[in-house]
């Protein structure tokens, strides 16, 4: 099924993602008959209800069983279970959540914090939105268990301002849980207390970086901080803080319920990778059935694009694809049989990122496409460091000139220079290097498209003359 832009916008008001998730040929949870807490731990409840928003419905689907199990063991045992499960962070970096938790400074009587990063602004990514809008209670249960393990004095969720429906549903869920002693003091008669504050940011991409998010939470400008010290030692208001992504925290209750070995065995359904658990994979662009699917690790890009997303639309041919958002390197049709996993995608020359693929068809011109991406990254720069603040606009100017027929000989080389000057270790955070990933990979694989536009602007004779003036490499 294909929806027009106006239909997609209308459905946003109904809590439906732009990718018509309710109308996917293959539902996000897969086969309704086999979707259980053991096979689809993130989304299995959606096989029974379009959204699980009230406590009675959630408890009828094993809701808060994991919390009760956690409260019957020590916080240290809970932390060790998550650590043994090796829950790789789902925000893009892939750092194991259990190790991050274990690095948090021990309680010293002062404040300490747990923060959920719900500032999902990676272009082409809408997985956390689904989880917050459709399964808010599962997220809260995951945060409850995480808080039990970490003993924070306060817990926050920072959401982008555009996610108004998610915020409304989380707030309503919290009110019901407070009325039923599942949020507040002495939860379920235990010594454990918990409250969650839903905080709305101004909608900045840089808040995906955890220290920029912490600055935003404190009411400051969302600039990243120097690391070290890392947030686990000195985070919000200078105190120990753990920041985890929405999807990461969504895994927690099922791991407590079924154990770390079960979680590690999930990808054995495919048998080709060792990354534990399942993941919300997705695909957008000119495919027949864009959407999200919860899958164990081990599926190739070809399987996700062709089997789940229904392949390219009629008359369209795949030219390139971004594995996990705009800040990852382009790969080509030659890479379609690559398994979409942290290690394998890196070996192919990109990053898994958020795991939501964006496809580019043969008719799309890479130069304006890159210009559009770089305009986004330029706008979202916090402006804190000079290379990013000044370098990204320079890249946009060069791409604009090339696209508008005003490119000059040497412009592509200048763009290549930017990809080196704005690379890892030369900027304050990973924003500019992330912006360079699609640019340098587009030049690598599609350089003739850039050269052709410049040749049309200056003439083939100028190109040949410039080539003849190049010094001989000895």
């Amino acid at each position: 099924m294909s929806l027009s832009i106006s239909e997609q916008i209308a459905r946003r008001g109904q809590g439906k993602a732009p990718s018509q998730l309710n109308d996917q040929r293959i539902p996000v949870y897969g086969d309704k008959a086999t979707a259980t807490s053991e096979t689809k731990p993130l989304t299995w409840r959606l096989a029974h209800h379009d959204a699980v928003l009230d406590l009675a419905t959630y408890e009828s689907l094993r809701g808060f069983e994991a919390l009760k199990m956690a409260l019957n063991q020590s916080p240290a045992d809970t932390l060790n279970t998550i650590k043994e499960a090796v829950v790789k962070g789902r925000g893009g970096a892939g750092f194991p959540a259990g190790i991050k938790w274990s690095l948090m400074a021990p309680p010293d009587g002062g404040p300490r914090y747990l923060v959920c990063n719900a500032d999902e602004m990676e272009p082409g990514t809408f997985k956390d939105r689904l989880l917050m809008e459709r399964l808010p209670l599962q997220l809260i249960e995951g945060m409850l268990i995480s808080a039990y393990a970490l003993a924070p004095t306060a817990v926050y969720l920072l959401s982008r301002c555009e996610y108004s429906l998610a915020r409304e549903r989380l707030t309503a869920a919290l009110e019901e849980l407070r009325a039923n002693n599942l949020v507040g003091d002495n939860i379920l008669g235990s010594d454990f207390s918990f409250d969650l504050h839903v905080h709305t940011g101004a909608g900045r991409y840089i808040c995906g970086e955890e220290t920029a998010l912490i600055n935003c939470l404190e009411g400051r400008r969302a600039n990243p901080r120097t690391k070290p010290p890392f947030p686990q030692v000195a985070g919000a208001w200078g105190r120990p803080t753990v920041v985890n992504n929405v999807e990461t925290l969504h895994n927690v209750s099922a791991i407590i319920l079924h154990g770390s070995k079960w979680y590690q065995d999930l990808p054995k359904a495919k048998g080709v990778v060792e990354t534990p658990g399942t993941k919300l994979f997705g695909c957008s662009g000119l495919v027949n059935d864009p959407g999200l699917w919860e899958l164990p690790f081990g599926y190739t890009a070809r399987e996700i694009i062709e089997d789940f997303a229904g392949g390219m639309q009629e008359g369209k041919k795949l030219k390139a694809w971004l594995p996990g958002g705009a800040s990852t390197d382009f790969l080509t049709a030659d890479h379609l049989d690559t398994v979409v996993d942290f290690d394998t995608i890196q070996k192919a020359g990109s990053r898994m990122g958020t795991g939501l693929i964006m496809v580019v068809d043969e008719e799309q011109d890479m130069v304006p496409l890159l210009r559009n991406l770089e305009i986004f990254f330029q706008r979202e720069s916090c402006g804190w460091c000079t290379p990013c603040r000044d370098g990204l606009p320079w890249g946009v100017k060069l791409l604009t000139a090339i696209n508008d027929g005003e490119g000059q000989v040497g412009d592509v080389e200048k763009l290549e220079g930017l990809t080196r000057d704005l690379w890892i270790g030369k900027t304050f955070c990973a924003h500019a290097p992330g912006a360079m990933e699609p640019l340098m990979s587009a030049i690598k694989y599609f350089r003739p498209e850039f050269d052709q536009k410049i040749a049309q602007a200056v003439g083939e004779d100028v190109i040949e003359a410039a080539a003849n003036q190049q010094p001989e490499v000895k």
Side-chain angles (χ1 to χ4, degrees):
M1 178 180 180
S2 179
L3 297 178
S4 68
I5 296 297
S6 60
E7 289 172 325
Q8 293 178 43
I9 292 173
R11 291 198 171 199
R12 289 190 179 103
Q14 304 168 21
K16 300 178 181 180
S19 59
Q20 64 256 11
L21 290 178
N22 279 16
D23 302 305
Q24 289 181 189
R25 180 176 52 87
I26 301 175
V28 64
Y29 49 79
D31 182 5
K32 185 174 183 177
T34 60
T36 68
S37 62
E38 294 182 79
T39 59
K40 304 289 183 179
L42 297 175
T43 63
W44 71 278
R45 293 179 173 95
L46 297 181
H48 301 272
H49 299 276
D50 179 62
V52 180
L53 304 178
D54 64 276
L55 179 58
T57 304
Y58 186 62
E59 287 186 321
S60 72
L61 297 170
R62 307 196 69 177
F64 292 108
E65 286 185 20
L67 174 63
K68 294 171 184 177
M69 289 177 63
L71 292 176
N72 285 322
Q73 63 186 20
S74 70
D77 287 341
T78 301
L79 191 154
N80 286 334
T81 299
I82 301 301
K83 189 174 181 179
E84 290 168 1
V86 193
V87 187
K88 292 191 175 182
R90 303 302 201 248
F95 190 80
I99 294 178
K100 179 182 280 191
W101 290 11
S102 67
L103 294 173
M104 190 179 193
D108 60 2
R112 49 198 286 116
Y113 305 101
L114 170 64
V115 179
C116 175
N117 185 349
D119 191 70
E120 184 178 53
M121 284 195 65
E122 185 69 39
T125 300
F126 44 90
K127 62 183 181 64
D128 294 345
R129 178 185 174 187
L130 168 83
L131 297 176
M132 289 189 289
E133 289 183 352
R134 307 295 183 83
L135 297 163
L137 290 157
Q138 185 172 338
L139 173 59
I140 295 170
E141 183 177 12
M143 296 186 72
L144 276 160
I145 296 167
S146 304
Y148 178 68
L150 296 169
T153 55
V155 183
Y156 294 93
L157 181 146
L158 192 142
S159 170
R160 56 181 293 189
C161 60
E162 295 87 351
Y163 280 7
S164 56
L165 182 62
R167 184 168 64 253
E168 290 170 9
R169 291 182 172 181
L170 282 163
T171 302
L174 285 168
E175 289 177 359
E176 185 176 13
L177 295 181
R178 288 191 186 97
N180 288 273
N181 191 222
L182 284 161
V183 168
D185 296 331
N186 305 113
I187 292 171
L188 297 178
S190 69
D191 294 330
F192 171 56
S193 299
F194 169 98
D195 204 353
L196 171 61
H197 308 279
V198 178
H199 181 80
T200 302
R204 297 300 303 190
Y205 179 79
I206 195 64
C207 287
E209 201 280 336
E210 61 182 1
T211 62
L213 178 143
I214 288 170
N215 270 338
C216 176
L217 185 64
E218 292 181 2
R220 304 173 187 270
R221 180 174 172 174
N223 293 337
R225 298 178 180 179
T226 302
K227 293 186 286 188
F230 291 91
Q232 296 95 308
V233 176
W237 295 281
R239 298 295 302 171
T241 305
V242 163
V243 180
N244 283 130
N245 166 263
V246 169
E247 187 184 355
T248 305
L249 292 165
H250 237 76
N251 281 273
V252 171
S253 58
I255 295 169
I256 297 301
L257 205 57
H258 300 298
S260 57
K261 186 180 185 304
W262 157 81
Y263 191 74
Q264 291 179 332
D265 286 345
L266 279 171
K268 291 182 179 177
K270 291 292 290 183
V272 293
V273 294
E274 296 182 356
T275 301
T278 61
K279 170 99 181 63
L280 284 182
F281 292 97
C283 186
S284 63
L286 296 180
V287 290
N288 287 304
D289 296 295
L292 288 172
W293 306 275
E294 181 181 359
L295 303 170
F297 286 92
Y299 283 82
T300 65
R302 186 185 301 278
E303 288 174 304
I304 293 172
I305 295 170
E306 296 181 0
D307 297 345
F308 290 90
M312 300 297 290
Q313 293 180 8
E314 185 177 356
K316 304 296 181 182
K317 183 179 179 182
L318 186 137
K319 175 180 185 176
W321 53 286
L322 290 165
S327 62
T328 56
D329 293 78
F330 282 103
L331 296 175
T332 69
D334 293 337
H335 301 102
L336 281 176
D337 293 315
T338 303
V339 172
V340 186
D341 178 67
F342 294 96
D343 295 335
T344 51
I345 290 290
Q346 186 173 12
K347 289 176 182 176
S350 187
R351 291 185 303 110
M352 195 185 84
T354 60
L356 274 73
I357 294 171
M358 291 193 289
V359 300
V360 179
D361 75 274
E362 286 281 5
E363 296 178 5
Q364 290 180 271
D365 188 332
M366 296 303 290
V367 176
L369 189 156
L370 260 295
R371 176 180 174 272
N372 189 42
L373 287 179
E374 296 305 319
I375 288 174
F376 170 81
F377 288 118
Q378 168 199 269
R379 185 184 68 232
E380 294 300 329
S381 171
C382 75
W384 182 247
C385 69
T386 302
C388 186
R389 181 182 64 244
D390 294 346
L392 292 179
W394 186 242
V396 171
K397 288 179 181 179
L398 288 168
L399 288 167
T400 300
I402 295 171
N403 188 59
D404 291 349
E406 299 173 359
Q408 299 296 315
V409 174
D411 281 355
V412 178
E413 286 72 21
K414 290 175 183 176
L415 287 171
E416 289 177 322
L418 277 178
T419 66
R420 295 188 293 270
D421 293 339
L422 274 65
W423 195 237
I424 298 169
K426 297 182 179 180
T427 60
F428 198 77
C429 77
H431 178 78
M436 293 299 100
E437 290 189 46
L439 177 59
M440 65 183 180
S441 55
I443 294 173
K444 175 183 177 181
Y445 294 118
F446 306 105
R447 172 72 184 258
E449 294 187 29
F450 294 79
D451 291 339
Q452 182 181 14
K453 286 183 177 291
I454 293 173
Q456 290 172 348
V458 302
E460 293 288 350
D461 55 335
V462 175
I463 298 292
E464 293 177 6
N468 293 331
Q469 291 176 4
Q470 294 294 324
E472 183 181 351
V473 179
K474 297 182 180 181

